[in-house]
Amino acid sequence: MDVSPLVWTLTILGILGLLAFDYFFHVRRAHVPQLREAAIWSSVYVGLALLFGVGTLIFGGGAMGSEYFAGYVTEKALSVDNLFVFLIIMTSFRVPREDQQKVLLFGIMFSLVARTGFILLGSALINTFAWVFYLFGLVLLITAGNMLRPQTEEAHSAQNVVVRLSRRLFRTTDNYDGDKLFTVQNGRRVMTPMLLVMVAIAGTDLMFALDSIPAIFGLTQNVFVVFTATAFSLLGLRQLYFLLDGLLDRLIYLSFGLAAILGFIGVKLVLHALHENNVPFINDGEHVEVAEISTGLSLTVILAVLVVTVLASLLSTRGRTQTAMANARRDAIAYLDSEYTSDPVERERIYRRLIESRDHIVKLGPKAKQIVKNEPELLELCGRAALSHDAALASGRHPDDSVLGPDPTPLQGPRRQG
């Protein structure tokens, strides 16, 4: 179905309007989003995406609507996986909690621009060279294989080539100055870590697009559907980051599910390439009679794989343990970092979650304890955060407990259970 220029214009203006609304009403004033705020606005953006899909079904037909929903679900799942890498980057750069929203919104805007460019390029290649389907399918199969490898935080280091080059060529400082990109230090204009973390996010997102765009082209070649499904999957990603805060590490099997989905779409692309084949050394340039996978079947497989992997992650003992470990380490480091947040309520939230995570680790059974690495060091870090919390209470520097509720049970010093 051809989409009129008017529909294209209205759609683009609507997306830009949502981004502008997000900035002026939420991000411009630095603050820490609370769970309720994140939940409400995540629901709003998901609701808008679903309404747009219903409109696509009504005005574009069943095939176009199914392609949109399949593309949206796939891109949204890939975006959630990307949030884990964003978390690592912002943790390594010690981005203040209040300013993380601005970094995320910049990442979303850059991603939308970059992926639009990739979409236009991909569409031009597909319309010109049928063999591009083979290339896209191979890219997805390789990506699926790479996702099955064990991933560590070191594998997603924020200190990528662009950041290291920026530090070498330009004057930089290790200290933030609010959300400013540049500041004056000792009478000289220097680059703040805020600009560097944005560069790291942008560079990482370019890598994400290399598997994201071929994946959705494997589900539909309609440029309007590809663009809108990608755009709506990115809108609301900032709110989703804060909504899933503390749960991202819990989705330990998500990468396996995404690998299965990308592998499935890769096979679908190869089958389509064989059907459309004009490569001389394959079947003498003639198309190959193969069964093609329908969009309806693709959507069913994608949803089924995601449901199974998410439920398996949430019910897994390993998932709960790894989440507790990651939360305890990050929360202890954040609590001990005086520059992480100036919001007393946020500091108390971090401390209380630290208590829950630490208690979970201490109460682990022998089998689950085998998952925990460097337990003495981790509990020692928790103990230091507890001492800092107690010192803050004793000096009267802690937030008003009448607002926060009763005092949480203090952490004990590090110890091991048998």
Side-chain angles (χ1 to χ4, degrees):
M1 174 185 173
D2 292 329
V3 179
S4 69
L6 176 62
V7 173
W8 266 105
T9 302
L10 292 176
T11 301
I12 293 172
L13 288 177
I15 291 170
L16 293 176
L18 288 172
L19 288 172
F21 174 83
D22 208 12
Y23 175 76
F24 287 106
F25 288 90
H26 294 107
V27 175
R28 185 170 61 171
R29 181 181 64 84
H31 71 286
V32 180
Q34 299 302 312
L35 183 62
R36 182 173 181 272
E37 176 186 340
I40 290 174
W41 286 106
S42 291
S43 301
V44 167
Y45 280 104
V46 170
L48 289 173
L50 295 179
L51 282 175
F52 187 89
V54 172
T56 305
L57 274 171
I58 294 173
F59 297 104
M64 188 175 178
S66 298
E67 290 174 354
Y68 168 83
F69 281 113
Y72 172 75
V73 172
T74 301
E75 292 297 303
K76 198 68 173 179
L78 289 169
S79 297
V80 172
D81 189 54
N82 297 346
L83 286 180
F84 175 69
V85 184
F86 288 168
L87 173 63
I88 294 173
I89 290 175
M90 288 197 283
T91 300
S92 64
F93 275 100
R94 298 173 54 247
V95 180
R97 186 71 168 173
E98 290 85 348
D99 298 320
Q100 289 182 4
Q101 291 196 96
K102 181 164 289 187
V103 174
L104 286 168
L105 186 60
F106 167 81
I108 291 169
M109 294 173 65
F110 178 86
S111 178
L112 186 57
V113 173
R115 295 185 191 208
T116 299
F118 277 113
I119 290 169
L120 296 176
L121 176 61
S123 176
L125 289 173
I126 287 172
N127 291 330
T128 307
F129 308 105
W131 55 262
V132 170
F133 287 109
Y134 287 114
L135 178 61
F136 281 3
L138 180 61
V139 167
L140 292 184
L141 291 173
I142 293 174
T143 303
N146 289 334
M147 294 189 79
L148 295 176
R149 297 178 181 176
Q151 297 292 313
T152 63
E153 295 199 2
E154 288 76 14
H156 300 293
S157 173
Q159 300 297 329
N160 57 34
V161 175
V162 178
V163 172
R164 290 197 298 269
L165 185 63
S166 299
R167 288 188 184 276
R168 182 172 298 180
L169 296 179
F170 304 101
R171 300 188 185 97
T172 62
T173 177
D174 293 330
N175 300 318
Y176 288 88
D177 185 6
D179 58 3
K180 295 180 181 178
L181 304 182
F182 295 90
T183 188
V184 177
Q185 190 175 71
N186 298 325
R188 302 166 70 181
R189 185 175 176 82
V190 295
M191 185 186 300
T192 70
M194 182 62 70
L195 182 56
L196 293 177
V197 72
M198 288 183 175
V199 170
I201 291 285
T204 304
D205 193 73
L206 285 177
M207 299 302 297
F208 292 156
L210 294 179
D211 56 61
S212 170
I213 299 306
I216 193 169
F217 268 118
L219 298 169
T220 176
Q221 287 81 59
N222 186 315
V223 178
F224 182 77
V225 173
V226 172
F227 172 76
T228 52
T230 301
F232 278 104
S233 72
L234 294 172
L235 293 172
L237 198 59
R238 175 186 65 80
Q239 294 86 347
L240 189 62
Y241 174 87
F242 292 97
L243 180 62
L244 295 180
D245 182 32
L247 291 177
L248 288 174
D249 298 281
R250 184 81 170 266
L251 302 175
I252 60 172
Y253 298 125
L254 180 61
S255 60
F256 295 101
L258 292 176
I261 290 171
L262 293 181
F264 172 79
I265 298 175
V267 171
K268 183 177 187 294
L269 274 169
V270 172
L271 291 175
H272 181 73
L274 289 170
H275 184 77
E276 301 290 331
N277 179 63
N278 60 7
V279 178
F281 56 83
I282 299 178
N283 198 35
D284 295 326
E286 299 295 328
H287 79 279
V288 181
E289 290 294 338
V290 292
E292 290 206 75
I293 301 172
S294 67
T295 303
L297 177 59
S298 299
L299 179 57
T300 302
V301 170
I302 291 167
L303 288 174
V305 170
L306 287 177
V307 169
V308 170
T309 53
V310 169
L311 288 178
S313 297
L314 295 178
L315 297 174
S316 166
T317 300
R318 176 179 290 273
R320 291 194 296 272
T321 301
Q322 290 189 182
T323 300
M325 290 167 53
N327 285 347
R329 182 173 289 106
R330 273 197 292 265
D331 291 341
I333 292 173
Y335 191 85
L336 292 169
D337 185 356
S338 60
E339 296 182 353
Y340 177 72
T341 179
S342 59
D343 186 341
V345 176
E346 174 65 12
R347 285 183 60 79
E348 187 68 7
R349 185 191 71 84
I350 293 172
Y351 183 74
R352 290 186 175 184
R353 191 172 69 176
L354 171 61
I355 293 172
E356 295 173 0
S357 300
R358 188 241 181 222
D359 287 348
H360 178 86
I361 296 171
V362 170
K363 294 175 182 177
L364 289 175
K367 184 177 180 180
K369 268 185 174 292
Q370 297 176 4
I371 304 172
V372 180
K373 297 179 180 179
N374 303 320
E375 182 190 1
E377 291 82 1
L378 181 57
L379 295 182
E380 189 274 334
L381 186 63
C382 293
R384 286 169 51 199
L387 292 174
S388 175
H389 180 269
D390 293 342
L393 283 174
S395 64
R397 291 185 288 107
H398 214 263
D400 184 1
D401 292 316
S402 64
V403 176
L404 296 171
D407 292 343
T409 303
L411 288 170
Q412 303 300 316
R415 70 178 188 274
R416 293 182 63 90
Q417 290 196 351

